[in-house]
Amino acid sequence: MTEDPNTLRTPLGRVRYLGSARSGMREDWFMRLTSVALVPLTIAFVWLLLSLLAQDYRGVRAELGHPLPAIVVMLFVLVGIYHMQLGMRSVIADYIRGQAREWALMANLFFAAVLALACTYAVLRIGFV
Amino acid sequence: MASTDAAPTPARARPLSPHLSVYRLTLTMVMSGLHRITGMALYASVLLLAWFLMAASMDATAFGVASGFLNSILGRLILFGFTWSLFHHMLGGIRHFIWDAGLGMDAPEREWLAWGTLIGGFVLAILVWAIGLAVYQGASVS
């Protein structure tokens, strides 16, 4: 039997029908993938944030108008929001039961989607308008 | 969306797993809780970031309101909390990478890692603000 290199599921786990049947490992894997990306992005973002906070309107517009800072902010926001939405998902799964869980999971995705779009749109608008 | 069953209503009380209060409080337990709490705090603070970016994308008046709040004492306190949460959570994540590699799980190592995360988070946050304030000191807010 050939081993699927893209799965972390062990052959024994498959035989016993234990563990995730479908996409559970994928969620776990994306949490780690985004964590790795967020280490350098966080450092770069905090560095940028400190310089942005001290500046006035023109200064902030000028700085975020450059491609590199704009890309750093957008990457941090998009990867960060994907990561935090996964984190909130497991918090909801841990603490909320029944029908309320479905609503909470939906609200989590809506919140993440709106914020991701708002931040990206704002940075692009600074750059292009 | 994951399918979740409605909580079953048992005919009689089922055995429960031991509650949190049963265990003696240890540093690694506190760190586990802090990782989650800082994560939730960061979740909320993306609202502030979105406000700041959207204000900057609009006009000088909207930006002045956002920037004025963030540079007030309350705003600065929130931002310090945000940077601390960010660094604490980042170091916590690096601790998890070390564990994923199968290292640092024995008693002395995990205690050291916990202390390193706890102290490192504060050190990085204070260091960054000290540098930030020193470099950009006197820069006025519009």
Side-chain angles (χ1 to χ4, degrees):
Chain A
M1 197 173 98
T2 50
E3 198 63 40
D4 180 3
N6 293 318
T7 179
L8 292 174
R9 221 178 157 205
T10 61
L12 185 63
R14 194 155 46 228
V15 166
R16 285 181 172 165
Y17 278 140
L18 292 175
S20 167
R22 293 185 183 88
S23 54
M25 266 326 280
R26 195 176 162 76
E27 201 172 289
D28 202 58
W29 169 245
F30 267 105
M31 201 63 173
R32 276 155 179 76
L33 188 68
T34 49
S35 305
V36 174
L38 280 168
V39 172
L41 285 175
T42 298
I43 294 167
F45 173 77
V46 170
W47 194 256
L48 191 64
L49 182 71
L50 285 168
S51 93
L52 287 178
L53 282 173
Q55 295 186 50
D56 62 4
Y57 179 64
R58 283 168 175 278
V60 168
R61 299 274 305 196
E63 184 150 5
L64 286 179
H66 287 294
L68 192 62
I71 289 169
V72 165
V73 171
M74 284 191 285
L75 274 179
F76 175 75
V77 162
L78 292 176
V79 180
I81 288 178
Y82 192 82
H83 179 89
M84 80 177 197
Q85 159 267 332
L86 277 179
M88 184 55 95
R89 208 178 146 75
S90 58
V91 171
I92 291 168
D94 282 354
Y95 303 129
I96 304 181
R97 293 166 155 264
Q99 184 81 66
R101 183 188 286 178
E102 299 294 343
W103 287 108
L105 287 171
M106 257 195 271
N108 178 40
L109 282 179
F110 292 161
F111 181 82
V114 169
L115 282 183
L117 191 66
C119 291
T120 316
Y121 176 81
V123 175
L124 290 177
R125 190 168 195 270
I126 291 168
F128 294 116
V129 177
Chain B
M1 184 134 305
S3 70
T4 48
D5 301 329
T9 43
R12 57 196 167 90
R14 304 295 304 154
L16 296 169
S17 60
H19 287 295
L20 203 59
S21 54
V22 166
Y23 300 104
R24 181 176 60 86
L25 201 66
T26 63
L27 182 64
T28 43
M29 271 164 72
V30 174
M31 294 301 291
S32 170
L34 264 182
H35 193 71
R36 191 158 261 200
I37 291 165
T38 49
M40 293 300 100
L42 291 167
Y43 188 96
S45 42
V46 178
L47 278 173
L48 270 185
L49 177 61
W51 179 34
F52 179 78
L53 290 175
M54 283 171 73
S57 80
M58 289 192 281
D59 52 45
T61 319
F63 180 80
V65 176
S67 175
F69 173 73
L70 291 175
N71 282 296
S72 68
I73 293 174
L74 178 65
R76 283 277 169 90
L77 272 175
I78 293 174
L79 282 173
F80 181 79
F82 167 68
T83 31
W84 170 73
S85 297
L86 205 52
F87 283 131
H88 183 92
H89 201 83
M90 185 185 87
L91 292 177
I94 292 172
R95 204 161 57 112
H96 276 276
F97 294 154
I98 295 170
W99 286 332
D100 283 348
L103 303 167
M105 283 190 233
D106 293 329
E109 284 94 339
R110 63 170 185 259
E111 292 295 311
W112 276 113
L113 283 172
W115 279 113
T117 305
L118 195 59
I119 296 168
F122 281 107
V123 167
L124 282 177
I126 291 168
L127 196 69
V128 150
W129 277 91
I131 293 171
L133 290 176
V135 172
Y136 304 112
Q137 199 170 34
S140 62
V141 183
S142 64

